[in-house]
């Protein structure tokens, strides 16, 4: 029986003890010990294995204070690569008290509720170390403050300085400096930016980090993970020993996400390697340093579906695991130039951007470069190449794969639907009723000019665009792709009353601007040739008008004809 896939399992101990399939990332430990960074910030997109890796670090380094538990933790690593590296690494196992904090739960609608969640997370970590209160090396005053924090009764300043205080207590009790692990540090910052309380959240996170990481004499080393590299000035003030490892760095490049060899091994294990080309097309495409990387969450989800049905269709699994607010904001605020750049990317093209690694959410709309950098570092764009120019690093970026392109397309379509709902299209319907093809074309061209299109699925895009506009009328019913006659008409529009009007629209996408007029005529002729009007006529409609509509990028052509040719 094959091992189960660890869908949603982010606790390293659970994976190893329950026998889940695990891709060995334990050499991350070796690299951390070799490079000896004091405070290490790893920035990677959401769902790329950051939480699981931090969990692994905790079980490797933590001295639990219980000899039996320490031995149990050592057994978790017995078959992993780190145990092949020699005694100099093994001696660090169970060698330090560990503070392990995740800020994922701070994604809340108000600062008060977000702060409450962070306070609870800090309190839970204090409770996890409650046993040290019995240690006589800790003063009675510190014990009282420790208990107040653990019981969530302490003041704001006590919580903002809580990590430094806990590391001091642990150091005093064990005579060992602490390892601090902080997961998803920027989740509360991203959420606060979009919710409107960014400055309050920045102040709290800055205080939390400054006390724990800046001058903390009780710290052995720290590992922080997040999606974005928020600027030193706003969060990591004065942290001169901060070692930032972004997706551009060649160091640590194989430890987050799956390499192609790892994906091939997994697919072979589950005997679904025949679907490798689909896996690669949908979920590959990331480049961390010089290492080609697959999205691990989506790989595991697709493997789960393939294991039940080798012919299963791929899906954009990543879309529901991460906030897409950045893309939504990009689309909503995009000017004409940015829309053109998005269309270029959606069409498979590339964009050159200057790298700005130290940015804040407040910088997001200061210029286009900042926004493209956000999309790159959050995994919505990937590096194709990089070059050095005028003392700056530039990237040539593209959309990584089909999955991410689908996220863009879904976001854009939803935005277009919202925009269309706010428009008044009575003039368009009046033009349809009057048989005024030119006016229809003018109105549609005006709408196209303001939208974002994507040409690799152009027919679906234009069909959805036209259906969305026509669906705004309160006087007509709109149905698309209904079977009728000898084929399939694109769009049927009808009055609820059989005595009212009805329309058939056939859509074509032209290969060039010069083909627009011909294709509109062919679309109209297709309505007649395939007898698309039969269904309406059978139902009892007598006033049937037909329109052939052709599109090429931002241009549209319309041809009008009566229901009878």
């Amino acid at each position: 029986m094959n091992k189960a896939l660890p869908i949603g399992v982010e606790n390293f101990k659970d994976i190893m003890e329950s026998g889940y399939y695990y891709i060995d990332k334990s050499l991350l430990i070796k690299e951390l010990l070799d490079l000896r960074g004091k405070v290490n910030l790893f920035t990677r997109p959401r769902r790329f294995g950051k939480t699981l890796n931090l969990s692994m670090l905790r079980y490797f380094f933590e001295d639990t204070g219980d000899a039996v538990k320490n031995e149990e933790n050592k057994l978790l690593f017995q078959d992993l690569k780190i145990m092949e590296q020699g005694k100099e690494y093994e001696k660090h196992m169970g060698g330090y008290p560990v503070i392990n904090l995740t800020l994922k739960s701070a994604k809340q609608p108000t600062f008060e509720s977000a702060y409450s969640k962070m306070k609870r997370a800090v309190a839970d970590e204090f409770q996890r170390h409650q046993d040290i209160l019995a240690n006589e090396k800790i003063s009675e005053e510190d014990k009282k403050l420790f208990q107040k924090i653990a019981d969530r009764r302490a003041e704001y300043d006590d919580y903002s300085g809580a990590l430094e205080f806990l590391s001091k207590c642990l150091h005093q009790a064990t005579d060992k400096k602490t390892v601090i692990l902080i997961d998803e540090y920027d989740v509360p910052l991203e959420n606060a930016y979009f919710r409107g309380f960014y400055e309050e959240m920045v102040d709290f996170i800055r205080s939390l980090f400054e006390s724990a990481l800046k001058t903390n004499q009780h710290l052995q080393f720290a590992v922080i993970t997040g999606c974005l590299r928020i600027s030193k000035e706003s969060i990591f003030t004065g942290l001169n020993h901060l070692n930032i490892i972004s997706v551009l760095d060649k160091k640590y490049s194989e430890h987050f996400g799956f390499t192609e060899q790892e994906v091939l091994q997994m697919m072979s294990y589950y005997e679904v390697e025949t679907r490798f080309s689909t896996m690669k097309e949908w979920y590959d495409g990331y480049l961390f340093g010089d290492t080609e990387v697959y999205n691990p969450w989506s790989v595991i989800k697709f493997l789960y579906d393939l294991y039940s049905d080798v012919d299963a269709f791929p899906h954009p699994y990543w879309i529901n695991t991460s906030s897409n607010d950045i893309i939504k904001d990009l689309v909503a605020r995009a000017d004409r130039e940015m829309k053109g750049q998005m269309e270029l990317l959606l069409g498979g093209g590339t964009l050159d951007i200057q790298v700005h690694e130290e940015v804040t959410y407040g910088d997001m709309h200061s210029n286009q470069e900042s926004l493209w950098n956000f999309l790159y570092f959050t995994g919505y764009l990937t590096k194709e190449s990089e070059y050095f120019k005028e003392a700056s690093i530039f990237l040539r970026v593209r959309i990584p794969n089909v999955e991410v392109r689908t996220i863009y397309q879904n976001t854009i379509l939803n935005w277009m639907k919202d925009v269309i709902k706010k428009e008044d299209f009575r003039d368009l319907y009046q033009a349809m009723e009057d048989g005024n093809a030119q006016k229809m074309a003018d109105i549609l061209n005006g709408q196209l000019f303001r939208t974002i299109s994507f040409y690799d699925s152009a027919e679906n895009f234009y069909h959805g665009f036209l259906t969305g506009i026509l669906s705004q009328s309160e006087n007509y019913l709109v149905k698309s792709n209904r079977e009728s006659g000898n084929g399939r008409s694109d769009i049927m529009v009808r009055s609820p009353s059989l005595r009212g009007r009805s329309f058939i629209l056939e859509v074509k996408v032209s290969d060039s601007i010069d083909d627009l007029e011909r294709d509109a005529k062919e679309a109209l002729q297709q309505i007649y040739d395939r007898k698309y009007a039969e269904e309406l006529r059978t139902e009892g409609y007598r006033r049937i008008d037909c329109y052939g509509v052709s599109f090429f990028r931002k241009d549209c052509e319309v041809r009008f004809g009566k229901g009878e040719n």
Side-chain angles (χ1 to χ4, degrees), residues 483-500:
E483 294 292 340
S484 68
N486 296 327
R488 201 175 191 187
S489 65
D490 277 330
I491 302 171
M492 281 188 178
V493 182
R494 66 188 83 188
S495 165
S497 170
L498 295 175
R499 295 177 180 177

Side-chain angles (χ1 to χ4, degrees), residues 459 463 479-481 488-492 505-507:
E459 191 156 354
H463 184 276
K479 293 187 179 180
S480 62
N481 287 335
R488 201 175 191 187
S489 65
D490 277 330
I491 302 171
M492 281 188 178
L505 295 93
E506 182 67 20
V507 176

Side-chain angles (χ1 to χ4, degrees), residues 166-182:
L166 180 56
S167 62
K168 183 190 81 169
C169 293
L170 289 169
H171 189 192
Q172 288 176 345
T174 64
D175 293 324
K176 298 175 181 178
K177 290 187 176 182
T178 56
V179 171
I180 296 179
L181 308 175
I182 303 174

Side-chain angles (χ1 to χ4, degrees), residues 359-392:
V359 293
T360 68
Y361 282 95
D363 295 331
M364 187 185 294
H365 297 295
S366 61
N367 57 65
Q368 291 186 9
E369 290 285 358
S370 292
L371 198 44
W372 295 124
N373 271 266
F374 267 80
L375 292 171
Y376 169 66
F377 286 110
T378 51
Y380 293 101
L381 294 172
T382 191
K383 178 181 72 173
E384 185 164 287
S385 60
E386 62 182 288
Y387 56 94
F388 198 71
K389 178 182 175 183
E390 298 175 353
S392 298

Side-chain angles (χ1 to χ4, degrees), residues 272-286:
V272 293
E273 57 267 49
T274 56
R275 300 299 307 280
F276 174 70
S277 61
T278 303
M279 180 75 81
K280 185 175 181 67
E281 180 184 20
W282 272 75
Y283 310 117
D284 187 19
Y286 300 92

